Amino acid sequence: WLNEVSNNVTKQAVKDACNAYKRFFKGLAKKPKFKIRKKSKPSFYNDTSKLKVKEKKVLIEKVGWIKTNEQIPIDVKYNNPRVTYDNKYWYISVGVEVDKKQEELTDISLGIDLGLKDLAVCSDGKVFKNINKTKEVKNLEKRLKQKQRQISRKYEINKIKKGGSCQFIKTKNIEKLENTTKLMHRKLTNIRDNYIHQVTTSIVKTKPYRIVIEDLNVSGMIKNKHLSDSVRKQCFNKFRQYITYKAELYGIGLVIADRFYPSSKTCSECGSIKKDLKLKDRVYRCPHCGVVIDRDYNASLNLSMYKLA
């Protein structure tokens, strides 16, 4: 069975694990986790030297020439070709060297406050709404729950008791329903991913000379059983990942504010700290200067002034 795939696929898997541990020991990343084959995304590596490209065609090792929907750049140096599957389509992604854009930046320091009520509130007054509150996403999640309940009921019907244990039989109908739920999960992921791309691109196109965001403790926030689902759907880590590489592409400086910096509790007018501010308080009322301002907008203003004095 090893002859069915290229030997570079198994070699690259070992190289990837080696690089992950190197980054862990240097303190650049967390310890690599063991990925179960059933839950991991189907993907494999293609050797760079054996990757050939024609007009809307690509040669994949041990597979042959395959048509592509988009044209891959021809006569350029490729880096790290990967083939992935998202339960509907196969994708090939290649790294290509591109010159950095020399953009004329403004003298604005932009602060971005991420939250659950709205995805992002910027210090220039722009508010990007929470996509998970739209009718399209809510209806899709409702249908997904219904399909998942159908699957669990069918598993209960096809349960067989053998000795002291229960055995569940997967029928063709269950497989069809599971494939339907996979496509629904894919659609939800694509909707959220596309929205984060739109938000980060529109922020970067304002061309501030620096962007300041918070260092959120997402893993700690997920431990809160009341907010964990909402935090997971907002994809804060993905937002940070996208804004980082897009800011670098435009030559914009990205500043990560300290995790314990009290951006929400500090008054953007006088600088006093309100220690008794609770999560349910959506309006900030300063007891010293008397200013009344939206909590998230106040936090974004404080982030825009982070370490400027």
Side-chain angles (χ1 to χ4, degrees):
W1 57 269
L2 280 172
N3 289 326
E4 293 174 7
V5 293
S6 167
N7 63 344
N8 289 304
V9 175
T10 48
K11 283 179 185 175
Q12 191 62 35
V14 178
K15 286 178 185 176
D16 288 344
C18 183
N19 290 331
Y21 273 102
K22 280 180 181 176
R23 286 175 60 82
F24 166 64
F25 288 123
K26 285 179 182 177
L28 299 172
K30 292 181 180 179
K31 188 179 177 181
K33 291 181 181 178
F34 176 75
K35 293 177 180 64
I36 301 167
R37 185 168 60 90
K38 289 180 180 178
K39 291 184 179 180
S40 61
K41 193 176 181 180
S43 63
F44 63 90
Y45 172 82
N46 194 85
D47 190 18
T48 313
S49 60
K50 293 178 181 178
L51 183 75
K52 293 179 182 178
V53 178
K54 286 183 183 178
E55 190 178 347
K56 288 208 170 182
K57 278 188 177 181
V58 63
L59 179 66
I60 295 173
E61 204 177 352
K62 293 274 186 176
V63 178
W65 287 99
I66 292 175
K67 288 182 180 180
T68 57
N69 190 38
E70 294 179 19
Q71 178 60 50
I72 298 173
I74 303 172
D75 297 329
V76 292
K77 189 180 178 181
Y78 303 118
N79 180 36
N80 197 20
R82 303 274 172 158
V83 180
T84 54
Y85 181 63
D86 71 340
N87 297 320
K88 191 173 184 181
Y89 299 118
W90 286 93
Y91 297 89
I92 181 166
S93 60
V94 291
V96 179
E97 288 185 4
V98 180
D99 294 328
K100 278 189 177 181
K101 295 179 183 178
Q102 295 295 326
E103 299 284 351
E104 287 187 13
L105 304 177
T106 60
D107 59 346
I108 296 169
S109 172
L110 189 73
I112 303 170
D113 180 67
L114 302 176
L116 299 179
K117 184 187 173 188
D118 298 303
L119 174 63
V121 178
C122 302
S123 57
D124 60 357
K126 284 185 180 178
V127 178
F128 298 98
K129 293 180 180 178
N130 186 350
I131 191 74
N132 299 301
K133 292 181 180 179
T134 57
K135 192 176 281 186
E136 183 188 6
V137 175
K138 281 185 175 180
N139 288 343
L140 199 58
E141 285 178 340
K142 189 178 179 181
R143 280 173 53 211
L144 180 63
K145 279 184 181 179
Q146 288 170 351
K147 295 290 179 186
Q148 287 171 335
R149 286 191 189 116
Q150 282 180 30
I151 292 166
S152 62
R153 285 194 205 104
K154 285 188 183 294
Y155 269 121
E156 283 295 322
I157 291 165
N158 296 304
K159 186 168 67 174
I160 296 171
K161 288 186 178 181
K162 279 191 176 181
S165 61
C166 292
Q167 189 178 354
F168 295 95
I169 297 168
K170 186 183 278 192
T171 60
K172 289 287 182 183
N173 283 336
I174 291 172
E175 281 183 15
K176 286 178 186 176
L177 283 168
E178 284 182 345
N179 289 332
T180 309
T181 56
K182 282 179 184 178
L183 291 174
M184 284 182 178
H185 278 297
R186 175 188 173 275
K187 192 172 182 179
L188 281 167
T189 303
N190 288 346
I191 288 168
R192 289 170 185 142
D193 204 31
N194 178 56
Y195 184 66
I196 292 169
H197 269 299
Q198 289 176 347
V199 170
T200 49
T201 303
S202 64
I203 288 169
V204 168
K205 281 185 176 178
T206 58
K207 298 176 186 177
Y209 80 93
R210 75 166 196 166
I211 294 172
V212 187
I213 59 171
E214 297 171 288
D215 181 22
L216 294 172
N217 181 18
V218 178
S219 58
M221 291 164 74
I222 284 173
K223 289 176 183 177
N224 185 337
K225 65 179 181 180
H226 301 292
L227 301 174
S228 58
D229 195 45
S230 301
V231 172
R232 180 186 57 80
K233 289 174 185 175
Q234 286 290 68
C235 308
F236 292 132
N237 284 334
K238 200 173 275 188
F239 183 95
R240 180 170 166 175
Q241 183 187 343
Y242 291 172
I243 201 92
T244 301
Y245 86 80
K246 287 177 185 180
E248 189 181 346
L249 196 67
Y250 276 73
I252 299 167
L254 184 73
V255 180
I256 309 297
D258 185 66
R259 186 171 289 182
F260 300 104
Y261 175 66
S263 58
S264 297
K265 295 181 179 181
T266 307
C267 178
S268 56
E269 289 290 328
C270 65
S272 61
I273 297 172
K274 188 179 180 181
K275 292 183 178 179
D276 59 342
L277 188 73
K278 295 177 182 177
L279 190 64
K280 65 180 180 181
D281 299 331
R282 303 316 307 168
V283 178
Y284 184 90
R285 291 180 172 84
C286 182
H288 291 86
C289 65
V291 70
V292 179
I293 190 171
D294 181 70
R295 176 203 178 106
D296 298 329
Y297 182 57
N298 177 63
S300 66
L301 288 172
N302 287 323
L303 288 168
S304 67
M305 296 182 284
Y306 181 72
K307 287 191 176 178
L308 278 182

